[in-house]
Amino acid sequence: MPRPLFDLAGRRALVTGASRGIGQTIAVALAGAGADIAVTARKPEQLSETIALVEQAGARCVALAQDVRDVDASTATIGKAAEALGGLDILINNAGFENVRPSLDVDEALWDSIVDTNLKGAFFCARAAGRIMAERGGGAIVNLCSLTSFVGIPTAVPYGASKTGLLGMTRALATEWAAHGIRVNAIAPGYFRTAMTEVFYDDEAWQERMLAKIPQGRFGGEGDIGGVVIFLCSDAAAYVTGHCIPVDGGYLASI
């Protein structure tokens, strides 16, 4: 296929929760494909490394503070990002939170913190970006779902509920916003070693159990996410909307 189908030159992308991990990786990948990037985090001072990497990839980078749980402030931030970039063509709903806890010990505060970040926050980011995209004739939104969008994982009930809801939101928005030229898709990363998941990887026995369930026999690495996101944001995926692509080394296929 011609490479221009995957070219994002001239596009403007916003990546939430981009200070580290998968969010940072996606921001750098989109920059490498030609997009200018706005990156956000609750603590913008933690975005310095991401800014440097995006600029090294040859893209312009705007960094803003954003707590997706604060709907009004978060919406205003997306408006500022679009103004700074001269528009908004791509939204990556990556900001997320998890705290593993037995379900009998989950309190209301933990539930609200996880669901408000992963689901409520993602919806209102999508709404803010969708309004801008609709006025300009279209765009692409990619939500970060999870293996828990498809399977139950003990001690991760609030997280799984939020990510399953995010999958439903992806499908519903895709059907509603197609008329505005907005495509809404998702990816479901498998087991990637990030700051949020580091606690699991400290357990060697856990690593052995998980690797035995992954047909490719390895955990995900930095190079495994970017290409899928670029595809979903590019003209190569012009007829793809409402879908979630697992990026999991075959984990879900083997169950």
Side-chain angles (χ1 to χ4, degrees):
M1 296 179 70
R3 184 170 180 176
L5 281 175
F6 300 90
D7 186 6
L8 299 180
R11 313 247 178 128
R12 289 71 52 98
L14 169 64
V15 184
T16 68
S19 63
R20 59 188 184 181
I22 289 175
Q24 182 181 87
T25 297
I26 290 173
V28 175
L30 293 176
D36 287 328
I37 310 294
V39 291
T40 70
R42 281 189 291 173
K43 298 178 180 179
E45 64 273 14
Q46 295 180 351
L47 288 165
S48 57
E49 182 179 67
T50 303
I51 295 168
L53 291 171
V54 167
E55 291 177 343
Q56 286 173 19
R60 184 158 61 105
C61 188
V62 174
L64 297 165
Q66 183 184 33
D67 184 343
V68 299
R69 298 172 298 179
D70 185 334
V71 173
D72 290 341
S74 180
T75 298
T77 295
I78 291 173
K80 291 176 184 177
E83 182 178 359
L85 293 176
L88 189 63
D89 307 291
I90 296 166
L91 169 67
I92 310 298
N93 259 326
N94 171 73
F97 174 64
E98 165 67 311
N99 187 316
V100 175
R101 190 178 300 181
S103 298
L104 295 179
D105 297 328
V106 170
D107 56 25
E108 184 178 6
L110 178 61
W111 178 276
D112 288 347
S113 183
I114 292 174
V115 175
D116 285 356
T117 301
N118 300 349
L119 182 55
K120 177 182 174 181
F123 170 76
F124 284 102
C125 284
R127 187 190 70 170
R131 287 172 171 171
I132 296 168
M133 292 174 183
E135 290 179 357
R136 296 173 179 268
I141 296 173
V142 178
N143 297 318
L144 268 290
C145 287
S146 160
L147 296 182
T148 63
S149 301
F150 299 94
V151 298
I153 296 180
T155 72
V157 171
Y159 186 79
S162 69
K163 292 297 186 177
T164 302
L166 190 59
L167 177 57
M169 187 188 95
T170 298
R171 292 167 174 162
L173 290 181
T175 60
E176 182 178 344
W177 289 356
H180 298 295
I182 301 171
R183 295 182 298 102
V184 186
N185 290 291
I187 64 170
Y191 288 96
F192 284 74
R193 192 166 191 164
T194 67
M196 191 171 73
T197 62
E198 185 66 33
V199 62
F200 300 113
Y201 291 86
D202 290 338
D203 183 343
E204 292 187 5
W206 178 89
Q207 288 196 46
E208 292 179 3
R209 291 196 303 272
M210 289 303 105
L211 286 173
K213 298 178 181 180
I214 301 171
Q216 287 193 348
R218 66 178 179 86
F219 297 117
E222 287 189 4
D224 296 319
I225 287 282
V228 181
V229 176
I230 290 169
F231 164 68
L232 289 173
C233 294
S234 73
D235 291 342
Y239 202 50
V240 179
T241 194
H243 294 283
C244 180
I245 300 177
V247 186
D248 65 352
Y251 176 91
L252 289 175
S254 68
I255 294 176

